[in-house]
Amino acid sequence: DLQLFFDCAYQGFASGDAEADAVALRSFVEDGHQILLCQSYAKNFGLYGERVGALSAVCSSTEEKAALESQLKAIIRPMYSSPPIHGARIVKEVLGDATLRAQWTGECKEMANRIQEMRSLLREGLAEAGSTKDWSHITDQIGMFAYTGLSKEQVQKMRDESAVYCTLDGRISVAGLNRDNVAYVAAAIHAVSK
C-alpha cells in the first residue's frame, strides 16, 4: 500500500490563489483517497521563526483516526511538550477575519506575481547574456526557489568567480532576485553553463 503525502508549504504563495493551490489535494480527497497533508505557514505568512504548521490526515474511520492520533502523540511528545502558540494565533486571526484574509490573499498574489516576474527576467537575462540553452524550466516552475540544472562543480565555480550563491544541487532563491541583481545573476549562470 502507498500512502499519499502532500507537502503544502506554499499554499496561496505558489500561484497567488490559495484555492487554486489546493485543487490537486481536494481532488484526491474527493476521489476517496486517504491522505496526509503537511502545511507550513513559514513562507506564506512570513512566520519563519515561529515554526507554524499542521499535519492533517484523512482517515477511513474513527477507529483509524484514534489509532493514528495515538501514534502521532507518541512521536510528538518526546520532541516537545507544548508547541509555541504565537504564530498559530497569528494565522488563526488572519484566516478568521474577512478583512485580514483578503489583505493576506492580496499580498500573496503580489508576491507570487513578483516571483514569476523574476523568473521571466532571469530567463530573459540568460538569453541576453548569450545563452542558447533551453531555460524554460525556470519559468515552468513555481514557488520561491528554482532548480537551475547547474552541477555541483558549476555552482562552486559561480560562487568563486561571481559570488553568486545557491545550493550545491543548483537550487536558487528566486525570491532573492530583484531588478537590480537579476541580470548579474543571469550572466553568472551563463558564464558557468556555456
Side-chain angles (χ1 to χ4, degrees):
D1 276 344
L2 295 176
Q3 178 64 55
L4 298 175
F5 183 87
F6 288 84
D7 180 4
C8 195
Y10 292 100
Q11 189 173 0
F13 202 57
S15 71
D17 182 341
E19 297 303 315
D21 293 346
V23 166
L25 166 70
R26 290 188 176 131
S27 176
F28 275 82
V29 172
E30 288 168 6
D31 287 346
H33 295 282
Q34 297 169 30
I35 60 124
L36 290 172
L37 167 65
C38 178
Q39 290 177 285
S40 168
Y41 299 102
K43 294 174 184 75
N44 59 4
F45 273 86
L47 295 170
Y48 293 95
E50 297 295 329
R51 314 315 281 165
V52 181
L55 174 65
S56 303
V58 174
C59 299
S60 63
S61 66
T62 55
E63 294 80 19
E64 184 179 66
K65 175 195 170 281
L68 178 60
E69 185 176 18
S70 171
Q71 291 301 305
L72 289 174
K73 285 180 179 177
I75 293 168
I76 292 168
R77 187 70 172 160
M79 288 191 244
Y80 54 82
S81 182
S82 294
I85 197 163
H86 299 89
R89 285 186 174 157
I90 292 169
V91 172
K92 181 180 177 184
E93 181 71 23
V94 171
L95 295 180
D97 180 278
T99 302
L100 292 175
R101 186 181 184 115
Q103 179 182 344
W104 171 75
T105 301
E107 290 171 357
C108 282
K109 182 67 175 161
E110 286 177 28
M111 286 303 299
N113 289 346
R114 192 192 83 72
I115 290 171
Q116 197 55 41
E117 177 187 18
M118 291 304 110
R119 288 177 177 282
S120 295
L121 290 175
L122 179 59
R123 185 175 173 189
E124 290 168 16
L126 284 158
E128 289 170 9
S131 180
T132 57
K133 293 184 182 288
D134 178 9
W135 294 99
S136 59
H137 59 281
I138 297 291
T139 50
D140 289 345
Q141 299 170 32
I142 60 172
M144 294 173 59
F145 300 95
Y147 285 98
T148 60
L150 296 179
S151 69
K152 178 180 177 180
E153 294 74 25
Q154 290 169 320
V155 167
Q156 289 172 325
K157 184 176 181 183
M158 186 170 66
R159 286 179 184 178
D160 294 343
E161 294 180 1
S162 301
V164 173
Y165 295 83
C166 64
T167 59
L168 292 177
D169 61 0
R171 183 173 167 242
I172 193 164
S173 172
V174 180
L177 297 175
N178 60 56
R179 290 185 171 277
D180 294 330
N181 68 12
V182 69
Y184 180 81
V185 172
I189 292 172
H190 172 58
V192 299
S193 64
K194 53 183 169 178

